[in-house]
Amino acid sequence: MNTLIVNSPIGPLQLIAENGALLEIRFPGQHVDAPAGDGTDPALGAARSQLAEYFQGDRRSFQLPLAASGTVFQKQVWQALAEIPYGQLRSYRDIALSIGKERAVRAVGAANGRNPLPIVVPCHRVIGSNGSLTGFAGGLEAKKTLLEIEGAI
C-alpha cells in the first residue's frame, strides 16, 4: 500500500493506492497511518495530476484505475454516483430510483457516506430532496466548495 498527501482547496487529501489502483481518498482529519510506502504507485501520480486539474476547473471527469472495497449494493450506488454529470445534482431518491431500489433511500444515503473515493466518485453531487446540502464526510464547507468549483451552486 502506498500513500500520498496532496494539497487541495478543501485541505490536504490522503490518497491511498495499491497495485496500480486508487483505493481511497481521505479528507483532513481522516488520514490514517498506512504501512510504509514510498508514494510511487502509478495510481497516486495520476490521481494527484487529475485532482489538480479538477480543482483548477480543467477536468470534468476522472480516468483512474479504481479498486474500492464494498458490498454489491454499495458498488451499485457508487456506480450510480459516477454517472452524475459534472455540475449536476441528484437527490438520494434519484440515486435509489436509478438503481431500481426506490425504497432504499436511507440505504443509498449510508452507501453514499461510505464512498471511499470522494470527488473521483462524486458523492458531493448528492443533495437532500428539498435541495439542501446534506451530510458529507469532508464537511459541508468542503461539499459547498466542490459544488462551487463545478458551478452547481
Side-chain angles (χ1 to χ4, degrees):
M1 185 177 332
N2 276 274
T3 67
L4 179 67
I5 303 293
V6 297
N7 290 321
S8 80
I10 58 174
L13 301 173
Q14 183 181 39
L15 311 180
I16 302 171
E18 187 171 54
N19 299 323
L22 192 62
L23 304 176
E24 294 182 49
I25 298 174
R26 292 182 171 255
F27 292 110
Q30 299 175 336
H31 295 190
V32 295
D33 290 329
D38 58 11
T40 60
D41 191 295
L44 294 175
R48 176 183 51 216
S49 296
Q50 291 186 32
L51 284 166
E53 292 167 357
Y54 169 82
F55 288 122
Q56 292 169 4
D58 297 330
R59 176 171 288 277
R60 293 175 169 252
S61 63
F62 296 88
Q63 284 79 44
L64 296 167
L66 307 176
S69 292
T71 67
V72 171
F73 178 79
Q74 288 171 331
K75 289 179 179 183
Q76 281 182 308
V77 171
W78 301 338
Q79 180 58 46
L81 298 177
E83 294 170 7
I84 302 172
Y86 180 93
Q88 293 188 25
L89 305 173
R90 300 290 185 272
S91 70
Y92 296 101
R93 179 169 165 62
D94 292 334
I95 300 300
L97 289 169
S98 76
I99 63 170
K101 301 193 186 310
E102 72 177 272
R103 302 181 93 191
V105 174
R106 287 188 180 165
V108 164
N112 193 62
R114 286 183 174 30
N115 173 17
L117 293 162
I119 306 168
V120 171
V121 176
C123 54
H124 61 280
R125 296 178 188 155
V126 181
I127 60 172
S129 59
N130 64 358
S132 65
L133 297 185
T134 57
F136 185 61
L140 291 182
E141 279 303 310
K143 183 172 190 162
K144 181 179 175 195
T145 299
L146 295 172
L147 294 175
E148 286 173 343
I149 287 169
E150 296 185 15
I153 59 171

